[in-house]
Structures are given as structure tokens and as C-alpha cells.
Amino acid sequence: MKTTEFIIMILYIGFCIFLAFYTQRKISSSASGTDEYYVAGRRIGLAVNSIAILAALGSGGSFMAGIGTNFKLGLPTLAWMTVASICGFALASILVAKPLRNSGKYTVTEFLTERYNSRFIQVMVPIILIIGSGIYLMSQMKAGGLIASYITGLSYEWGLVIIALVFILYVSLGGMLAVTWTNVLQGALMILLILLIVIGGLVNAGQGPISFFASTTKEYEHLGKLGVALPLAAGIGAFVSWFTAPSVIPHLVMRVFTAKDVYSARLSMNIGMLIYGTLMFTSLIVILPFVPELGADTLKNTASDMWLLLIANKFFGPFIMGIITAGIMAAVMSTTDALLLACSASFAYDLYGKVINTKASQKQLLRAATISTWVIGILVMLITLKPHPFLIVLYTAAVGFMASGLFPPMVLGIWWKRANTIGASVSMVVGSVLFMILFLGFDMPYNTEILIALPVSMLTMLVVSSLTEKPSEETIAKMEQYHTGII
Amino acid sequence: MLNKKNWFSMPKRELFLLLFLIIYPIVFFLPWTYNIMILNVTLLAWGAYALYFLAPIVSIIVLSSEQRTIETDKKTNVSI
């Protein structure tokens, strides 16, 4: 066991759990408990929301697995996958943020249900979100399990079980308020993590970072060339997945609902991404050249997701390593908690409160949220005991699935007055089912399923809506109000 | 389907930003970038790295100027 790292990690996790207990008491005593639990009272300011967005996106996949995956799969594909989410937030800030924030809703499902006034959509959207977020969650739990195993010396399986229980405990207690507060701490830790590793890299490089990078890319030609490890289509598929995802996937969209106003919501998305892009680019250029120095045996026998930690281990002693490990754990936790909360909101708020028990009291809703967090969390943990080899590929598939089913109904529903219930319903089914068929039934290159599923879903929505009845004037007037903000 | 009346209008600056976000990747995904190498890395990848900074900075500028316009309009309406 790595004792110093272990103590720092316990202190950090203990603080997160304390925060969850504290916020639970605050939520229980508040008259607007549901508002506090799901959207943190809608009063999160620009700076806090920006850091929380950085923390929700920056995950085990990007900060921990990024370096290893770049080395294995090549830079061009991963460069476009990373920039896609940065552009995706810019896209979401102009396409969906304003109407969503003006609507005063809690969840994506609630917004789409109102737009299309349909019981089918009310049930279908949470199902898509729970499946998609669940797959995404697996990748984060895998990262958590790997870190816990690295620190404690226990097996991956035991590391996973311990860390999953911690994640579930503090999300089930504190809801969005706890998630927001811990995300700020986590975002700050992530910035510190990258700063430390980059400084370590610069000190240990022995030459300028650019020439070190160039000599590595010269020696390992596969890094910089297109189509060596992955075909171009995989890069385009990854780009489309992450470009469209921030407009629909709930653990990112929820930051629009928590913002104090429209301007703050839109700006915080881009400020968060500017910080994210800077961290990702700097760490890539400085740290990637150290990968070959791990040695052929280590590269062969260790999961590529762990390489960053192994590199950092060469630079620092146990104390700094403890902070770095806590930073990586923060990246994992911040995405995991947001995802768990999104799953729980989809079940408890959208399915239980709006379909199964429409007369549920606030207490019953909060209890349903707690129970669903535990059930979904444990289920995902059990599946993650046998994980996919690449974190990034796995969660890109998850966001591709959600975007294929939900991007056309969301964006066309906001901008196209002709978008109607039947068009949205058929498009949702076609997009999500087609994606799953392609993902499970065909041996396609990584992340290319969306290149078929999304256009088909979009076309279906346009054609079916055009051929069927227009939505009511009342629905169109409501959307007009959400665009103008005059409600 | 494409009838203008059927769509909600978008402020011009935001429309240009939308076009930039769509056209920039298309331009870089075209074959001309594949074999241009900088530090042994294809220009295709460097195009993405430039966008790490360009996309959020351009968006912040557009959204801030949009907000300033809204606030100016509000003040003008009040004074009228």
C-alpha cells in the first residue's frame, strides 16, 4: 500500500462525504428541497459554474486515460475527439442554453415532454438517458477502480467496489448542491494536478518540450499520422459524438439549469472549455514524450489508462503523488457524481414523479432519488467488474447513443416550428435503436455508428414531422417565449 | 420544410459562430491536411489543437457582444 497517497486520498474523500452530509441537512430543512437537490437552487454564479462544467467534462477518461490513449490510438483522432466537446459546448451555448434556462425546468426530459406534450416521450427519454449515462458511468467507475487499486494495492475488483460505494454514498446524500460544491473543489484539484504534472515534465525533460515532443513523434511515427491506429471515419465519428452531446446529455446540460441566468449559463460553458482545452493541450505536449520511457515491459503489461500515473510517479515523491492521485480521483468523481445524479433524476424525477406516482410528495421524490442512485450505481459497478479495454472509446459510444436518439428532437424542437410529437418519437426510436444495432451487431470501426444513426434520425424527424400535423399554436408560442425570455 | 417562417430566428453573430463551428472542422477533415506534417504530426491534428482555443474564445466574444447589445437595447427602450 502507498501510505502517504492513501492518507491524502482518505482526507479528500472524507471531506466530500462530510460536504454531502452537510448539504443533505440543508436540503431537508429547505422549503424548496427539490430545487436544491436537482438544480442547486438555480443560483450558481459564472465562476463556480465554469469550474463545475470543467469538472463534469474532465473525467477519468480525459485526464487519466488521455495520455495513454493518445499514444496507442494516435494524435489526430484523439485531438478531434477532445476538441469536439469544446466545440460542443460552444454549440450548446448557442443552440439550447437560452431556451432551456428560460424554461425553468429541472431536466432534459421535462423540457422535451413539455415541447412535445407526449407520454411516450416522457418515458422514452429517461430510458435512453439511463442506458447512455449508465454506459458512460462504467468507464468512470473503471478509472476509479484502477486508482483505488493503485493506491491500496488491492485487486482492481476490490478497488472498484470500495470506490463505487463512496461515490454512491455522497451523491445519494447531497444531490446537486453537494455535486456542485464538490465539483468546484474537484475542478481546482484537476487544474492543480495538470499544473504539477506539467511542471514535473518540464523539469525532467532534459530538453525543450517542443523538441522532446518532436523527437518522440519522429521515433513513433504512428502518433502523428492519420489512419495508422484508427481510420479517419473513427475520428469523424468521435468528433460528431462529442460535438452534439453537450446539447443533450444530462450531466452536462444540468449546468444550464443550475446557472443563475441565461448569460451566465452560456458564458460559463465556454469559459469552462477554455480552461479544459488549455489543460489538455499543455499536458499532451509536455507529457506524451515520457510514455516510451516507461519501458516496453510496462507498456505491454499495464493498462494504458494507468500510464499517466506511472509517469508522474517517476517525477514526484509520495506527498505530491498523493495530491496528484487525489486530483485524478477528483476528475473521476466529478464526472461520476454528475452522471449518477443525472441517472437518478431521470428515474426519480422524470419516471417516478411524473409517470409512476404523480402525487408523490417532496419527501417521496427525494427518497426515490436516493434509492435509484444506489440501485443504478450498484448495477453499473457489477457490470464494470469486467470492463472495456479503452475508457475513452466506451464513453464516446455512450454519448453517441444518447446524441443519436436525442439531438434531433432537442435541437429541431427548439428551432423548427414544424417539429411535432410523432416526428420526435419516431426519430428518437430510430436514432437510439439503430445506434445500438450497429454497435452491438456489426464490427464497425470505433465510434462510427453515429455517422449513420444521427443523420438517419435527423432525416426521419424532418420527413415525419413534415408529413404529419403541425404542433399547436400554443406549443409554438411557448417556444417563442423561451427564445425571447419574455414569459 | 425549409420555409423561413417555420424556423425561429437566430441573432446574426450567433449564426456566424454556428457556421464557423461547422465549416472549420469540415475544411480540416478534407484530404489537403493529411500529409502536411508539423513536428511529425499531421495538420489535421494541429487544426484541432488550434480549435481548442479558438472555439471558446470566439464564442465568449460573440456571446459577450450579444449581451452588450441586449443591455444597450434595454437601456434605450427605458429612456424612450
Side-chain angles (χ1 to χ4, degrees):
Chain A
M1 182 189 287
K2 297 174 187 301
T3 315
T4 313
E5 288 95 323
F6 183 72
I7 293 169
I8 292 174
M9 185 66 74
I10 291 292
L11 284 174
Y12 163 67
I13 289 174
F15 180 73
C16 289
I17 293 175
F18 162 76
L19 211 55
F21 272 108
Y22 176 75
T23 47
Q24 192 204 28
R25 289 183 61 181
K26 201 172 152 72
I27 290 167
S28 308
S29 61
S30 164
S32 54
T34 317
D35 222 37
E36 294 285 357
Y37 191 91
Y38 288 117
V39 290
R42 296 190 202 281
R43 55 169 184 275
I44 304 300
L46 181 63
V48 172
N49 220 38
S50 302
I51 299 289
I53 285 171
L54 161 74
L57 181 72
S59 65
S62 42
F63 285 114
M64 181 180 163
I67 295 294
T69 314
N70 263 292
F71 197 86
K72 276 204 155 177
L73 302 183
L75 302 186
T77 307
L78 268 291
W80 281 99
M81 189 187 287
T82 307
V83 80
S85 50
I86 296 172
C87 293
F89 272 98
L91 185 73
S93 70
I94 49 178
L95 286 186
V96 302
K98 191 175 182 184
L100 283 180
R101 182 62 189 79
N102 280 339
S103 73
K105 304 294 179 212
Y106 289 101
T107 62
V108 168
T109 307
E110 203 183 6
F111 180 83
L112 288 173
T113 303
E114 185 191 58
R115 169 63 179 85
Y116 295 111
N117 191 23
S118 154
R119 179 53 69 98
F120 176 79
I121 284 176
Q122 196 167 21
V123 175
M124 186 71 188
V125 177
I127 290 173
I128 292 176
L129 294 180
I130 290 172
I131 295 172
S133 301
I135 300 172
Y136 197 145
L137 202 47
M138 279 179 215
S139 63
Q140 302 307 311
M141 285 210 183
K142 179 190 167 190
L146 286 172
I147 299 168
S149 157
Y150 168 80
I151 292 172
T152 59
L154 294 170
S155 66
Y156 161 75
E157 287 79 7
W158 275 111
L160 170 68
V161 170
I162 293 166
I163 214 68
L165 292 178
V166 171
F167 290 161
I168 299 167
L169 177 68
Y170 93 85
V171 174
S172 66
L173 286 174
M176 183 52 114
L177 201 53
V179 167
T180 301
W181 287 3
T182 50
N183 275 7
V184 173
L185 171 70
Q186 288 155 351
L189 263 175
M190 283 151 69
I191 294 171
L192 182 65
L193 151 83
I194 297 296
L195 281 178
L196 282 173
I197 291 184
V198 166
I199 291 169
L202 290 172
V203 170
N204 286 277
Q207 55 183 307
I210 303 295
S211 60
F212 194 20
F213 178 81
S215 64
T216 308
T217 49
K218 191 175 181 185
E219 193 177 342
Y220 297 86
E221 283 187 352
H222 77 280
L223 286 174
K225 283 187 178 165
L226 176 69
V228 177
L230 285 177
L232 175 67
I236 299 174
F239 179 80
V240 174
S241 299
W242 281 104
F243 187 50
T244 48
S247 295
V248 290
I249 57 177
H251 79 286
L252 303 179
V253 170
M254 61 169 57
R255 287 288 151 213
V256 172
F257 297 120
T258 58
K260 68 174 182 180
D261 56 39
V262 171
Y263 181 54
S264 172
R266 301 172 99 191
L267 212 57
S268 58
M269 292 170 125
N270 291 294
I271 293 174
M273 285 309 96
L274 185 57
I275 303 170
Y276 177 75
T278 308
L279 295 178
M280 293 300 288
F281 180 72
T282 318
S283 62
L284 177 79
I285 298 294
V286 177
I287 302 302
L288 187 85
F290 286 95
V291 171
E293 294 189 359
L294 289 173
D297 281 349
T298 309
L299 296 184
K300 196 177 168 192
N301 299 322
T302 321
S304 59
D305 298 338
M306 287 296 291
W307 292 353
L308 179 76
L309 265 180
L310 298 179
I311 292 169
N313 207 22
K314 284 175 172 266
F315 300 159
F316 302 110
F319 181 73
I320 300 283
M321 272 311 288
I323 295 173
I324 287 176
T325 321
I328 293 180
M329 186 57 93
V332 176
M333 281 175 94
S334 58
T335 308
T336 309
D337 55 27
L339 278 164
L340 258 178
L341 189 71
C343 283
S344 128
S346 291
F347 177 81
Y349 188 79
D350 296 324
L351 276 181
Y352 178 75
K354 301 277 175 168
V355 179
I356 299 168
N357 181 5
T358 51
K359 289 178 184 159
S361 64
Q362 182 184 300
K363 204 173 172 185
Q364 283 173 311
L365 277 178
L366 292 178
R367 194 180 305 144
T370 307
I371 293 170
S372 58
T373 304
W374 278 94
V375 172
I376 294 168
I378 288 176
L379 202 65
V380 171
M381 179 193 82
L382 292 174
I383 301 171
T384 316
L385 288 170
K386 278 202 173 300
H388 190 280
F390 290 116
L391 285 178
I392 292 177
V393 170
L394 182 63
Y395 70 66
T396 301
V399 298
F401 167 73
M402 289 188 274
S404 296
L406 299 178
F407 188 77
M410 172 68 89
V411 171
L412 291 176
I414 287 173
W415 292 98
W416 191 35
K417 295 175 188 174
R418 281 295 269 115
N420 66 13
T421 309
I422 185 158
S425 307
V426 178
S427 154
M428 222 175 260
V429 173
V430 167
S432 52
V433 172
L434 182 59
F435 186 97
M436 270 300 173
I437 291 172
L438 295 170
F439 184 65
L440 299 173
F442 292 83
D443 191 18
M444 296 177 68
Y446 284 145
N447 306 134
T448 51
E449 298 84 0
I450 194 170
L451 297 178
I452 298 172
L454 183 64
V456 171
S457 170
M458 186 70 90
L459 201 63
T460 305
M461 173 111 193
L462 289 167
V463 171
V464 175
S465 290
S466 297
L467 296 176
T468 48
E469 207 179 330
K470 263 173 78 170
S472 68
E473 287 302 322
E474 193 189 337
T475 303
I476 295 170
K478 180 73 89 181
M479 290 314 299
E480 182 88 55
Q481 287 177 346
Y482 292 163
H483 277 283
T484 57
I486 305 163
I487 298 168
Chain B
M1 195 186 291
L2 294 174
N3 187 338
K4 216 176 164 186
K5 277 194 307 189
N6 283 334
W7 297 84
F8 289 103
S9 62
M10 181 181 279
K12 252 189 195 147
R13 274 173 280 206
E14 291 182 27
L15 189 62
F16 286 129
L17 175 59
L18 178 65
L19 291 175
F20 168 73
L21 292 172
I22 294 170
I23 292 170
Y24 182 104
I26 293 174
V27 168
F28 274 88
F29 271 119
L30 294 175
W32 71 275
T33 61
Y34 302 172
N35 297 319
I36 300 174
M37 307 297 275
I38 301 170
L39 299 179
N40 313 305
V41 176
T42 168
L43 182 63
L44 176 68
W46 290 111
Y49 295 138
L51 205 51
Y52 278 36
F53 304 96
L54 278 177
I57 290 172
V58 172
S59 303
I60 289 167
I61 293 169
V62 166
L63 295 174
S64 301
S65 67
E66 199 65 46
Q67 182 67 14
R68 271 199 299 275
T69 311
I70 293 169
E71 279 165 9
T72 312
D73 287 351
K74 267 186 194 166
K75 276 181 195 163
T76 315
N77 287 342
V78 168
S79 58
I80 287 168

